[in-house]
Amino acid sequence: MDNMQANGNALESAKQQEIIEELSKQYALEEEKTGKKKTYHIVTFGCQMNSRDSEKISGILKQIGYEETDSEDADFILYNTCTVRENANNKVYGHLGYVGKLKEKNPDMLIAICGCMMQEPQAVERIKEKYKFVDIIFGTHNIFKLAELLRTRLLSDRVVIDLWKDTDMIVEDLPSDRKYSFKAGVNIMYGCNNFCSYCIVPYVRGRERSRNPEDIIAEIKDLASDGVVEVMLLGQNVNSYGKNLEKPMTFAMLLREIEKIDGIERIRFMTSHPKDLSQELIDVMKDSKKICKHLHLPLQSGSTRLLKIMNRRYTKEGYLDLVDRIRTAIPDISLTTDIIVGFPGETEEDFQETLDVVEKACYESAFTFLYSKRTGTPAAAMENQVEESVAKERFDRLLKLVKKCSAKAAGKDQNTVQKVLVEEINTQNPNLLTGRLSNNLLVHFKGDESLIGKIVDVYLEESKGFYYMGKLMEQ
Ligand code: 5AD
Ligand code: SF4
């Protein structure tokens, strides 16, 4: 990013701050009159990028004077959408049907819809036509403008639509409302340049843009002084971090800098593309005391033939060799993955190759997806789409194998003492705490609420496949 651009970004964030202040005065006056604060609720779909964006939305709304509520029956309801698979879109339409009825009873209610789905012209057309009660529509590139869009909506009676095709702006320094006090997501880059042939993300999140390392470090130092002990570095493909910076820098170099920050005890990142995962990164992970022993390494398919058509730019052998090098260098690492079943033209032989990689890579866990046709992607136009029943049958077989492998892999640390970051009171049993191991598995154990946010030693008594039951050690 050059200087002029950086100045432009700073000016934009100052402008938004001014609008937030203006609105907050207006909202305070109204609160005085009515005696109550206006409420908001955000429904977030999709990945951790979206969760992070929702924290930013939440930060802006709280500064304006809104108060969060658990129910969709709020003064301002926002849907932060995902469009990576068709069923994500369908869920949004379901919610809109419901909220339309709520608005009939409460016409002052404001409804906004934003996120990846709004970067798709067909989805926006459908909303404009069928869900006329939506007040504000914006996309993935201009979340920072929410206060401005809200002000425009309050001043006019018409739907406000602000959609950008792409951007080179990175506007930060706006409020953000973190879900946890002790761990935080940090965007290190936006967008994706890979154009895997099935994937809509490059079309809805735009081209790859890395944040300046100084800005990332400053943000993490601030988080650390605020009590955050774990950061999750976020990007569609973190392994290509820094390639488009004025002074190029690798992701491994960035990790080394973050490692030096006092107070940060754990570093995670998401997602890695196998084609860009360097030996330098493996070496940094191996030597690090803070980088967690977990790598999410999407496979998508084990068939070299299909990987080529998917435009993944690695082979089955290349992937397995990478897994081998990682497991040799860092024996206690846990590997997880994403796999798509039923990509156009997938044959039983191709599918067998996928099963073979799953068996050999010994994943701790895997997210498995039925291929979903996304309009506008090259794969959607391919003629040899796999029949649904065939894809489903393969999906079930894959799931069985994944479960078998993860049960085998997950028990590895039974009867050892491990460091655990205590995250919350167990959702099923309030007498238990739930924490996370460095390798991302969960542990449930007896302990006092005051330990939440702390890293403690826990004896892993019993493996339950996907999680452990443990015993808190004398601290
Ligand atoms: N169909 C099914 N799964 C998909 N993914 C991305 N696009 C599609 C699609 N069209 C999966 C990939 C990716 C994860 C986030 O979603 O496995 O890694
Ligand atoms: Fe989609 Fe591929 Fe980019 Fe991941 S790397 S977001 S799968 S295009």
Side-chain angles (χ1 to χ4, degrees):
M1 201 188 318
D2 60 29
N3 274 343
M4 240 167 73
Q5 212 175 336
N7 284 341
N9 294 348
L11 277 176
E12 182 60 41
S13 99
K15 174 182 164 194
Q16 295 303 323
Q17 275 294 353
E18 255 173 52
I19 300 174
I20 292 175
E21 266 158 50
E22 180 192 319
L23 284 177
S24 75
K25 284 184 195 139
Q26 196 179 315
Y27 274 64
L29 282 177
E30 221 167 299
E31 192 185 325
E32 238 169 67
K33 261 196 251 155
T34 60
K36 62 177 198 277
K37 258 186 176 328
K38 284 202 182 295
T39 57
Y40 78 94
H41 182 71
I42 309 173
V43 181
T44 307
F45 301 89
C47 65
Q48 306 207 16
M49 289 278 189
N50 263 18
S51 303
R52 178 74 191 112
D53 285 345
S54 288
E55 290 183 351
K56 294 179 183 173
I57 292 172
S58 193
I60 293 172
L61 293 178
K62 279 196 174 152
Q63 231 175 47
I64 290 174
Y66 277 99
E67 179 177 71
E68 192 167 11
T69 162
D70 303 343
S71 131
E72 275 174 78
D73 196 358
D75 294 311
F76 193 2
I77 168 92
L78 299 98
Y79 296 98
N80 189 4
T81 62
C82 168
T83 185
V84 76
R85 285 170 293 276
E86 184 68 32
N87 54 4
N89 295 43
N90 292 338
K91 277 189 214 158
V92 172
Y93 294 125
H95 277 268
L96 283 178
Y98 166 70
V99 83
K101 298 223 169 61
L102 293 180
K103 192 163 177 166
E104 278 170 21
K105 279 188 240 147
N106 174 12
D108 288 337
M109 175 180 202
L110 287 176
I111 301 172
I113 170 158
C114 64
C116 293
M117 202 173 138
M118 295 304 97
Q119 298 293 138
E120 278 188 286
Q122 318 89 284
V124 174
E125 280 315 308
R126 178 163 170 188
I127 287 174
K128 283 202 296 198
E129 218 173 274
K130 290 207 171 147
Y131 305 94
K132 290 195 172 27
F133 51 81
V134 171
D135 296 283
I136 303 174
I137 300 178
F138 58 108
T140 54
H141 301 299
N142 50 353
I143 282 174
F144 63 87
K145 275 185 73 182
L146 175 60
E148 188 178 341
L149 302 178
L150 173 62
R151 182 177 68 174
T152 310
R153 176 64 188 80
L154 294 173
L155 291 173
S156 80
D157 231 5
R158 303 189 35 202
V159 45
V160 176
I161 303 179
D162 192 14
L163 295 165
W164 301 3
K165 254 193 134 81
D166 202 346
T167 183
D168 49 14
M169 284 183 97
I170 298 184
V171 181
E172 306 280 343
D173 294 333
L174 283 168
S176 155
D177 176 46
R178 282 188 282 111
K179 194 167 164 219
Y180 296 95
S181 60
F182 52 88
K183 66 172 189 174
V186 176
N187 295 109
I188 63 165
M189 60 198 301
Y190 298 95
C192 179
N193 285 353
N194 289 314
F195 290 95
C196 300
S197 63
Y198 50 82
C199 185
I200 201 159
V201 169
Y203 305 88
V204 297
R205 287 261 170 194
R207 293 295 62 73
E208 212 167 273
R209 306 171 299 283
S210 295
R211 282 179 74 194
N212 280 323
E214 301 81 35
D215 295 340
I216 298 171
I217 303 284
E219 180 175 332
I220 299 179
K221 281 187 176 162
D222 275 354
L223 289 169
S225 60
D226 220 21
V228 166
V229 293
E230 178 179 301
V231 285
M232 166 71 96
L233 310 176
L234 297 171
Q236 251 21 282
N237 175 14
V238 292
N239 299 113
S240 71
Y241 172 80
K243 285 188 182 156
N244 60 352
L245 287 172
E246 215 170 286
K247 272 192 271 162
M249 162 179 217
T250 62
F251 178 53
M253 284 155 79
L254 177 71
L255 281 172
R256 276 208 194 94
E257 293 307 311
I258 297 173
E259 174 109 21
K260 292 180 197 152
I261 301 175
D262 286 336
I264 296 299
E265 297 187 50
R266 281 184 167 186
I267 304 167
R268 297 185 186 278
F269 51 85
M270 181 90 93
T271 286
S272 288
H273 193 307
K275 80 175 164 65
D276 296 311
L277 199 147
S278 64
Q279 187 59 42
E280 185 195 11
L281 177 65
I282 300 177
D283 295 340
V284 168
M285 286 185 81
K286 178 178 170 206
D287 297 336
S288 167
K289 300 230 161 16
K290 296 185 177 177
I291 302 174
C292 287
K293 305 289 186 219
H294 171 218
L295 200 56
H296 186 67
L297 199 58
L299 168 69
Q300 313 301 6
S301 167
S303 152
T304 298
R305 188 187 78 83
L306 274 197
L307 286 169
K308 191 155 190 336
I309 306 171
M310 287 177 163
N311 194 28
R312 291 292 287 174
R313 284 171 278 177
Y314 53 84
T315 59
K316 176 188 180 189
E317 290 69 30
Y319 184 94
L320 283 172
D321 173 63
L322 181 61
V323 166
D324 204 40
R325 281 188 287 132
I326 296 167
R327 290 229 191 257
T328 308
I330 316 161
D332 49 347
I333 199 154
S334 122
L335 289 180
T336 57
T337 199
D338 291 343
I339 299 168
I340 298 175
V341 178
F343 179 83
E346 183 188 71
T347 62
E348 178 60 27
E349 289 71 41
D350 292 319
F351 179 64
Q352 288 296 333
E353 302 273 18
T354 300
L355 295 179
D356 189 41
V357 177
V358 170
E359 196 120 34
K360 291 192 167 124
C362 248
Y363 296 111
E364 268 68 9
S365 74
F367 296 98
T368 50
F369 305 108
L370 274 174
Y371 167 72
S372 167
K373 197 170 170 177
R374 309 313 291 131
T375 311
T377 61
M382 293 177 187
E383 274 163 14
N384 43 0
Q385 303 284 324
V386 174
E387 225 175 277
E388 205 180 308
S389 59
V390 174
K392 280 196 171 142
E393 187 274 331
R394 286 182 192 156
F395 183 89
D396 292 342
R397 271 193 282 158
L398 174 64
L399 205 60
K400 254 193 210 144
L401 179 63
V402 163
K403 278 192 185 146
K404 199 178 98 189
C405 294
S406 51
K408 198 161 81 186
K412 272 191 308 207
D413 291 328
Q414 187 166 303
N415 297 328
T416 64
V417 175
Q418 299 288 335
K419 296 255 175 255
V420 171
L421 173 58
V422 187
E423 297 199 339
E424 59 195 3
I425 295 177
N426 188 297
T427 43
Q428 319 278 326
N429 176 351
N431 295 321
L432 296 178
L433 294 173
T434 296
R436 209 174 278 273
L437 295 168
S438 169
N439 71 11
N440 214 33
L441 281 183
L442 293 178
V443 191
H444 309 296
F445 56 97
K446 274 206 184 108
D448 189 78
E449 197 181 340
S450 62
L451 293 175
I452 291 176
K454 303 223 160 57
I455 294 182
V456 296
D457 285 325
V458 175
Y459 176 70
L460 306 182
E461 256 174 346
E462 195 191 349
S463 163
K464 297 274 192 185
F466 294 101
Y467 63 92
Y468 286 100
M469 295 308 294
K471 200 171 174 179
L472 184 66
M473 304 291 288
E474 198 78 23
Q475 299 300 312

